[in-house]
Amino acid sequence: MKPEVLQLSPILIPEVRATLNQLFTLHLYYEQADKAAFLREVGGNIRGVITGGHTGITQAVMAQLPKLEVVAVNGVGTDAVDLAYARDRGIHVTATIGALTEDVADLAIGLLISACRGLCTSDRYVRAGHWPASATPLAPLPLARQFSGMRIGIVGMGRVGRAVATRAAAFGCPISYTDLQAMSDVPYTFVADLKALARGSDALILAAAADKAEGLIDAHVLAALGSEGYLVNVARGKLVNEPDLVAALQTGTIAGAALDVFVDEPRVPEALFGLETVVLQPHRASATVQTRTRMGEMVVASLVDAFAGKQPKNCVTG
Ligand code: 8YV
């Protein structure tokens, strides 16, 4: 009998879906209207879970899966999984560590360039046919902010933070960072205090894990970033106090923001929709065919190893 797997979020690569269907009996939880009834029906037989980084899995759902052996996160963040509970029950939790680093860093740089060069505003301007006309709400377009040479402050000097730094350095950007401690193996300037980092940066890029850093970017940090400063978030929405960010953008406390992640996805504060200083993405940092294929293959490998009684690679529960 094939092992039974509960899938909490979709896998978008057809080849990976085909392999999963070949090896396992998949139960598509994310498609169910009555999720509680579905869990009561299939929960007793589930040995594995596939979920996304943002979706994770609650303790309440795991508690209804008595035979659960492994939670394979199709992502790198495990902040939405109750790891302590999983460890207590001996459930492996795996992540696609290293698979999405380059894509997330690419998007961080792309978003910052979009925000400070006004790419989305200019795109809307051309599409709306405003270019040939003169007296339009968007014309003349304001001059943009140069990206090359911007002082970049990175929050979290892990894999993604380092990949962002390498890219920004190639654009002649001085790099500073904050983390729990200075890192001896990076050539960038460590600033212990987040407000001081914000004060000395033209753009703050968030690349930190969100496990213990909820609301890290608040009104004080945004005030320190200042009216010429930009915020980029490719990590987790909950790192930011969202009402403080909306207010900072509305009042011009900061110059702009580029956001791939939000507190309550897929809900985005509507106040942001009318602001030309903001670039918005629907949590797409790892959404390339190449990266999602690698991630999917890692998810398959985690399930196969766990069901064979082996410790899966990239296990974060030890
Ligand atoms: C993933 C993420 O793309 O890696 C993570 O933690 O949040 C995303 O980048 C997402 O988990 C895909 O399901």
Side-chain angles (χ1 to χ4, degrees), residues 7 10-22 26 30:
Q7 202 177 326
I11 294 275
L12 301 176
I13 302 292
E15 292 80 2
V16 175
R17 278 207 304 271
T19 308
L20 287 168
N21 277 308
Q22 203 186 326
L26 290 183
Y30 63 90

Side-chain angles (χ1 to χ4, degrees), residues 217-292:
I217 306 297
D218 60 10
H220 303 289
V221 176
L222 295 165
L225 183 58
S227 59
E228 304 287 313
Y230 290 82
L231 181 76
V232 175
N233 192 0
V234 288
R236 281 286 183 272
K238 64 185 168 191
L239 288 171
V240 178
N241 179 317
E242 224 163 50
D244 284 2
L245 175 60
V246 170
L249 287 161
Q250 284 173 325
T251 55
T253 301
I254 64 170
L259 309 169
D260 185 46
V261 287
F262 303 88
V263 171
D264 185 24
E265 294 171 13
R267 275 167 286 277
V268 173
E270 276 187 35
L272 297 180
F273 296 166
L275 296 176
E276 289 296 333
T277 50
V278 180
V279 175
L280 303 170
Q281 285 281 300
H283 200 146
R284 295 269 293 170
S286 70
T288 67
V289 171
Q290 292 71 20
T291 287
R292 286 291 172 85

Side-chain angles (χ1 to χ4, degrees), residues 9-10 51-55 73-79 96 100 104 234-236 260-261 283-287 292 295:
S9 64
T51 188
H54 178 79
T55 308
V73 177
N74 185 36
V76 76
T78 50
D79 51 293
T96 61
L100 42 74
V104 179
V234 288
R236 281 286 183 272
D260 185 46
V261 287
H283 200 146
R284 295 269 293 170
S286 70
R292 286 291 172 85
M295 289 165 66

